[in-house]
Amino acid sequence: MPIEAQMLINNNLVPASDGGTFDLYSPHTGELVAKVPEATAEDVDTAVSAASAAFPSWSSLSPAQRGAPLKKLADLVLEKKDSLASLDALSMGRPTSSYFDASYAATHFNYFAEAAYPQGHTSLNTPGFLNMSVRQPFGVVAIIIPWNAPLVFFSKKVAPAVAAGNCVVVKGSEKAPLTCYLLSQLIPTCNFPPGVINVLSGHGHTSGSLLAHHMRIRALSFTGSTRTGRAIQIASANSNLKKVVFELGGKSPALVFPDADIEQAARETENSINWNSGQTCMANSRVYVHESIKEEFMEKFKGFARRRRLGDPMDPEVNHGPQADRLQFDAVKRYIKMGKEAGGEVIDTGAGAEAEGGKSLLIHPVIFANIPETSPLTKEEIFGPVVVINTFATEDEVITKANDTEFGLYAALYTKDVERAIRVGKKLESGMVGINCTSPTGCWDLPFGGWKGSGTGRESLLDSMEHYLEVKSLYFRTPGIGG
Ligand code: NAD
């Protein structure tokens, strides 16, 4: 029986106000797995009103009081880890074998449960005044997340926003709404007051756009594509200039110099592009290999790609599931066709092993080499298991190629020469640079985010709370304190 999902408004699990739903199909079996509410304009308004009503008392609590339900949510998420993993596998094909999201989320809920002590400045620099700045929550904050790791994005945004004293309306992705539905069932049991966390389901052009235009929402945190980020920025400008924070797409380069550990570079760059079936914002979708080591690197890279275990995302032996849905599948296939027609070198690691059949939206990793730098394959985010491996001769040449993109999320470089690593690392136009490592390697306490079209914000355990606080200066006339 398909799951009958619901939304969370004011701590009540509810259908859409007009009863409307959309169907969700498994990308592996093609079966109907859920009927999901399509939030209406009325639902968006009701959720915003609930958040607005909850704000005065929620923001008046002490940090420890706001932290208590967050800690409870952390415990429940760990308890429900397997169910959460299965729901992502069911809805968007993420292999359960790679599910780290529950421990990531628990760390974020627990950390922000203890960390909400924002500080301002004080100043005695104006004679006759003791001046100070304070940091205060916005009120109602909207959070819009993508489908490739829903619990990760839910936790990294909701935890700091509500810990800071805001009340939130979250919209999950239409491609992976089921983790949000399970969280919606857990939240009221954690003693969050009604209206503090509201969770809607629905499509971007409907409820997403309504949130972006909403006049009573004062800040919006978004992770998703650059195209949608642009639409949200315009919606903000056309409505109330709400603050927007963006984590967007990427076309991340990895640079492999001749003195690199070639085996390690091949293993890690292959993992980076094919992890989550290529559906990762920071995947190194472009690899630049020095011409002197190209053959050895390609052989090793192909070997790793051919060892991917494609299949049922619920199977613990599988590390490569289907693309998230038919739209993603068709888009990736279009790029592969375009690349094959463009006449570069093509290695289809699935050739001969026709596992891509039946109803599953599986795509074998595909490697393109010697593709023109102007091709859409090297310029556009494909979001699938498709890599372009091109060569370079000099350091300056590869830096120019790596930076010749509108994205700037994560760049990687492999070399044993420390001075070159720092020299090149400084010149890469990217929010994150891996040295002798590549994505998804990172850490949770340094700024995560992109340059250029890859975003405007930086998120981390230490940085995220900034996004959810306004600053106010208080000028306190105190003539008696002297000049
Ligand atoms: P998407 O932009 O299509 O959708 C993301 C969310 O935005 C969904 O909830 C969707 O319903 C909503 N949305 C769509 N149109 C909207 C509109 N007009 N107004 C408001 N909301 C709207 O992205 P996706 O396909 O879900 O995710 C993949 C993209 O996300 C890739 O580009 C990937 O690189 C990016 N991403 C970035 C990061 C990061 O941290 N930088 C992390 C994960 C994914």
Side-chain angles (χ1 to χ4, degrees), residues 189-271:
T189 70
C190 298
N191 298 327
F192 284 103
V196 172
I197 304 178
N198 304 277
V199 186
L200 301 176
S201 50
H203 285 76
H205 61 277
T206 51
S207 45
S209 177
L210 287 164
L211 289 169
H213 285 93
H214 208 287
M215 294 300 288
R216 283 186 289 148
I217 290 172
R218 294 292 165 194
L220 187 155
S221 176
F222 171 73
T223 295
S225 64
T226 300
R227 178 179 40 79
T228 304
R230 192 170 280 123
I232 290 174
Q233 182 113 49
I234 292 168
S236 162
N238 285 339
S239 55
N240 59 352
L241 276 178
K242 57 181 68 62
K243 175 182 177 179
V244 288
V245 181
F246 293 143
E247 298 288 357
L248 306 175
K251 191 72 185 173
S252 295
L255 286 52
V256 187
F257 289 93
D259 61 346
D261 179 332
I262 298 174
E263 168 99 12
Q264 181 203 357
R267 185 178 60 251
E268 293 181 358
T269 52
E270 188 280 333
N271 178 60

Side-chain angles (χ1 to χ4, degrees), residues 133-182:
S133 65
V134 292
R135 322 189 79 190
Q136 294 178 283
F138 279 86
V140 183
V141 169
I143 288 171
I144 302 182
I145 58 174
W147 46 267
N148 56 346
L151 182 55
V152 165
F153 302 114
F154 188 105
S155 61
K156 78 188 318 196
K157 294 178 188 295
V158 170
V162 301
N166 300 282
C167 295
V168 299
V169 180
V170 186
K171 192 195 84 63
S173 165
E174 61 278 15
K175 290 185 182 15
L178 300 181
T179 22
C180 283
Y181 174 44
L182 180 47

Side-chain angles (χ1 to χ4, degrees), residues 313-453:
M314 299 277 196
D315 180 340
E317 298 299 314
V318 163
N319 65 2
H320 191 111
Q323 304 311 118
D325 70 357
R326 174 64 60 184
L327 275 175
Q328 291 297 127
F329 178 85
D330 288 344
V332 176
K333 284 288 193 183
R334 262 199 309 281
Y335 278 107
I336 293 173
K337 185 163 176 281
M338 186 194 302
K340 287 182 175 171
E341 286 167 1
E345 195 183 329
V346 189
I347 298 122
D348 190 335
T349 62
E354 289 304 326
E356 290 175 32
K359 293 188 174 139
S360 184
L361 302 176
L362 289 164
I363 297 181
H364 283 276
V366 179
I367 304 162
F368 288 101
N370 301 328
I371 294 289
E373 287 296 316
T374 49
S375 160
L377 264 74
T378 56
K379 288 281 173 276
E380 295 172 13
E381 187 180 43
I382 299 174
F383 226 54
V386 179
V387 69
V388 172
I389 302 181
N390 281 348
T391 55
F392 67 93
T394 68
E395 190 178 296
D396 283 347
E397 176 197 346
V398 73
I399 292 168
T400 303
K401 285 178 170 173
N403 287 340
D404 188 14
T405 166
E406 282 306 307
F407 295 105
L409 192 54
Y410 191 124
L413 64 100
Y414 285 85
T415 178
K416 293 198 180 84
D417 178 342
V418 176
E419 288 179 351
R420 169 156 54 203
I422 296 169
R423 189 169 62 239
V424 176
K426 271 170 64 182
K427 290 184 181 162
L428 290 170
E429 296 167 358
S430 182
M432 296 170 280
V433 178
I435 294 171
N436 293 320
C437 64
T438 185
S439 65
T441 304
C443 64
W444 297 352
D445 57 347
L446 282 187
F448 180 103
W451 285 21
K452 305 198 281 191

